[in-house]
Amino acid sequence: MEGRMLLLLVLGSLISQAWTSSQTHQKYSELHTIHPWRRNSSGRVKRDWIIPPIRVLENSKQVPEDLVQIKSDKIFTGEVIYKLEGSGVDQEPKNFFEIDDKTGVIRSKRPLDREKHRSFTLKAFALSPSGERLENPTTIEIMVLDQNDNRPAFTKRLFEGSVPEFSVPGTSVMSVSAEDADDPMTENAMLSYTILSQESVPADAVTKIMFGINNETGAIYTRDVGLDREVVKSFKLKLQVADMSGMGLTGEGVAVIHVSDINNHAPQFSPTKYNMLAVENRKDYDIGRVNVTDRDDRGAGNWEVKYSIYNDPHRSFSVATDPVTNQGILSVVQPLDYETQQEYTLILTVENVNSLSNKAPHVPVSSATVMVTVINENEAPHFREDPIRVLVPESVAPGTVLTSNIAFDPDNSELRYEISRDPERWLDIDRVTGGISVRRAFNMRSPHVKNSIYTAAVKVTDSDGVSTTATLAITLKETNDFAPELHPLSGSVCKDSRRKNTGLVLTATDQDLPPHAAPFIFEMLEDMSINWTVIQINGTHALLQPLVDLDTGDYMVSLMVSDSGSPVLGETSHVNVTVCRCDSFGDCKSEVGAIFGATMGINFIALIIIMACIALLLLLLLLAVAITSCGRRHHIKKGAGLLVGDSEDDIRDNVLNYDEQGGGEEDENAFNIDMLWNPHDAPSTPGSYCPGPGPRGKQPLRRDAPHNLPSPTYPRRPPADPTDIQDYINDGLEAADNDPNVPPYDTALIYDFEGEGSLAGSLSSIASGSSDGDQDYDYLNDWGPRFKKLANLYDPR
């Protein structure tokens, strides 16, 4: 096919990789030309031609360096332009390669680094001068060849491990590791480990080589015996790693190996004998410490110990371990008694908390002897029991001994007894022997007896003044001391004995407590059983009934009431019984009611209605009388222009509060004004009242002052000197204001005669231009009886 081009790929030279220890290389000797697109005999282009990768050595200093040349057979028919693109050319990373567009030579522009870019893939093009592709692009792969340009390095700056002491050779201790950035598929990354040196802590404690290392894996192991933690604490190893299987570049590291402790030392007492002091009658306090030594690692589990007491049958002592010092702390946990035992010999043993290793030497368990001496002290007296319990009957006779021998002194000191608390003063005590006796009779009803127990306090003191107090609890046993009392001792029963379940209900009370009280037994005396009977209702109540029809009147019935105590106590009581007539409800009627009930047949409800009506009528009658009394009028005669009553001696010297009532003093002669008083509409104001004591009737009560208090003394006579009228009025006004028995302000006011001889003129002259004599009032007689009184006031006769 004409116009088809043949690209000739000319390899400059084949890379021969003959590596030496000096890391030299050979250059490509010449470029070779190949024809990957050349047509075969049939004229078709061979499309399955594979171009081998171009291998380029990293870190090359000969740059730029020709790598390969590509050519096309179009060179014989026309001009061909070569182009190159891909990573390393126009894609990241850029500017590593270029191509000569006329000759087709591909060259590197700068040194390559395999640890950054291991390969590059490029595409080559053959174009016409006009930019037309002459053939499809071909792929060129460039591989970067590794050089041993990286040193191996350990993964940690310091490796730490441990190995138990007395480990056998070959015991694995730890492993170390290193890395190399070179190609792991080449000798450049083939690592080898070695131990350069060994140091012991403390220094020079061990001089022989105790550890080895696997040069391929880095595993460290023991290679000799003699690892003793008490001799050497740890080892410091200096390590080396090299590539090229140990012939190339190298790196260094450090490993620290600690020798761990095993429990190969048993604890030992030091010393083995101790003397300690203990005070009697005390407990829960420390008396001393014991010491032990253990060569194992201090503070670790193999060093911790525990103690035991070999001979302490009463468990009076205990021993604990101080976690900081490993000492044994000996304590008294039960009070010791000097009078019983003055010395104790204790055998203490010690052992580790952790079990001993099988590599530990076989030695017996360490023990120590502790001599404990008890110190005597003055002990307080002891009561044999606290509280001291006594059970006695409540009726025990005074002088009876309740208890004795209640206390003792451990030091055999002389004791003195006393009652320190006895609120009822019922008890006595012998100061020498301590015998407690009854001083006065007990009383179960005392407020100091709670739940039948009387509580007192007893104090005992020895010769040195040391004292002890105990509670005395006396339980009082109830006895039958009181006979029951009958209630009630008076009552009434119906005359009709044929009524069922009627009578006088009786009960009884007993000051004793159970079982010496209820149930009670009610019995009728023989001489009373003819007319009366008593029926037991329950343990506390009975019903008294007549057996025959008795006349109405009062009777005395005698009964016997007994309790259930031991012995039984009873008492005869006399009940005053009234036999009466009863209504349908079983209630006694009054005499009037009995008569009415017997003759007229009026029932109880009708009787109540009648009595209510009578009471209402009486109330209305009293109200009318009161109103009439408060409004009593006087007959007035006309004379001299003054108000004169029937009797000149009937003078009321009361100061009155005038509202808008009309005329003055001389215009009215015993003239009365009645006003209705509404208590809901008028406030209770002092000073307004309804005069008229005695027969004038009841006055309305003031609500602002107590009732039925003595009234103040009012001025009885007007002053002789008219100039003193102001003082006279003021005195009367003050007395009226302070009178608690006057009516409220707005009550019905009754104006009485206020005396004669007023200095003020008549106010009647204000209303008319002439005197009364100039007026003719006869026409008032023609107005009927309602104006008769008014006509009499102006009667000229």
Side-chain angles (χ1 to χ4, degrees), residues 420-432:
S420 60
R421 184 169 59 86
D422 182 13
E424 292 288 355
R425 303 182 63 83
W426 287 343
L427 305 173
D428 272 331
I429 191 169
D430 190 309
R431 294 183 58 84
V432 177

Side-chain angles (χ1 to χ4, degrees), residues 622-669:
L622 293 175
L623 182 61
V625 172
I627 295 174
T628 304
S629 175
C630 192
R632 188 172 64 87
R633 296 183 175 85
H634 301 277
H635 295 287
I636 304 175
K637 294 182 179 181
K638 180 179 179 183
L642 297 174
L643 295 176
V644 180
D646 293 340
S647 173
E648 294 182 358
D649 296 333
D650 188 11
I651 297 175
R652 313 288 180 182
D653 293 338
N654 301 327
V655 177
L656 304 178
N657 290 335
Y658 291 94
D659 200 354
E660 296 178 359
Q661 308 297 339
E665 302 165 39
E666 294 184 345
D667 284 347
E668 296 179 0
N669 188 4

Side-chain angles (χ1 to χ4, degrees), residues 136-198:
N136 290 331
T138 183
T139 300
I140 300 174
E141 186 174 1
I142 299 175
M143 301 294 296
V144 182
L145 299 179
D146 183 51
Q147 268 189 336
N148 191 13
D149 56 347
N150 291 284
R151 289 182 176 275
F154 284 99
T155 56
K156 291 183 180 180
R157 185 180 62 85
L158 177 67
F159 295 89
E160 285 191 276
S162 64
V163 60
E165 61 178 338
F166 299 107
S167 296
V168 297
T171 302
S172 176
V173 178
M174 59 188 298
S175 292
V176 296
S177 60
E179 295 178 347
D180 195 318
D182 292 324
D183 189 358
M185 304 304 295
T186 65
E187 286 289 330
N188 297 334
M190 193 68 65
L191 305 181
S192 177
Y193 300 91
T194 56
I195 297 177
L196 299 180
S197 63
Q198 168 187 299

Side-chain angles (χ1 to χ4, degrees), residues 239-257:
L239 307 177
Q240 177 182 280
V241 59
D243 57 14
M244 301 292 291
S245 299
M247 302 301 292
L249 302 177
T250 62
E252 293 185 354
V254 177
V256 175
I257 300 174

Side-chain angles (χ1 to χ4, degrees), residues 706-747:
H707 309 318
N708 301 325
L709 297 178
S711 299
T713 303
Y714 290 85
R716 304 305 303 169
R717 293 292 179 181
D721 187 356
T723 59
D724 297 333
I725 188 66
Q726 182 177 1
D727 296 334
Y728 169 76
I729 293 176
N730 290 335
D731 293 342
L733 179 61
E734 182 179 0
D737 288 340
N738 296 326
D739 191 352
N741 295 321
V742 299
Y745 178 76
D746 289 339
T747 57

